[in-house]
Amino acid sequence: VKLQESGGGSVQAGGSLRLSCAASEYSFVISGYCMAWFRQAPGKEREEVASIFSDGRAYYEDSVDGRFTISKDDAASTLYLEMNSLRPEDTATYYCAGTSGVQWHCPNESGGFRYWGQGTQVTVAS
């Protein structure tokens, strides 16, 4: 399994970016999986930003709710994160992650995700 993020970059506050995560050897067709976006800023712990279950149920961290949208293209095995109204505090390396096996819901902590991408940098200037 390989997860490859893309779409990061530098933007001004208030701007938008769309992150993509292309999955290889990871099925988006079967039920019972969860995909998520995490981020880690320098000197801070990795935090979950948003997750989406195989049935489409989505979860958002409070600070991004209403600004970010997680989605997936099952046919293309690709996960997305649409980020609008970006703030300087959104600056971080963003990682996509996926679970293995059959899940009943998305894990509530990062240890529940087996597969991780290498990350893509998002920098928001004030």
Side-chain angles (χ1 to χ4, degrees):
V1 174
K2 181 179 180 181
L3 303 179
Q4 182 65 58
E5 304 95 337
S6 61
S10 298
V11 296
Q12 293 291 115
S16 298
L17 282 173
R18 188 192 196 201
L19 305 183
S20 298
C21 173
S24 301
E25 305 295 329
Y26 189 92
S27 175
F28 276 46
V29 176
I30 63 172
S31 298
Y33 70 87
C34 180
M35 297 289 292
W37 288 98
F38 287 77
R39 67 185 178 188
Q40 188 168 19
K44 294 187 177 181
E45 293 187 356
R46 186 173 297 188
E47 65 173 351
E48 183 173 325
V49 174
S51 63
I52 187 165
F53 197 60
S54 49
D55 64 2
R57 284 177 287 160
Y59 156 85
Y60 297 94
E61 192 271 328
D62 287 347
S63 70
V64 307
D65 197 6
R67 299 188 298 123
F68 290 10
T69 302
I70 189 170
S71 63
K72 59 187 178 73
D73 183 334
D74 293 346
S77 296
T78 303
L79 179 73
Y80 301 101
L81 185 68
E82 185 76 34
M83 305 186 294
N84 298 313
S85 302
L86 282 162
R87 305 167 180 169
E89 54 264 39
D90 294 319
T91 295
T93 300
Y94 284 71
Y95 301 88
C96 67
T99 57
S100 65
V102 178
Q103 311 290 325
W104 293 106
H105 52 76
C106 283
N108 56 15
E109 46 89 26
S110 62
F113 293 87
R114 178 175 180 180
Y115 305 110
W116 292 83
Q118 294 299 306
T120 186
Q121 178 66 37
V122 171
T123 302
V124 184
S126 57

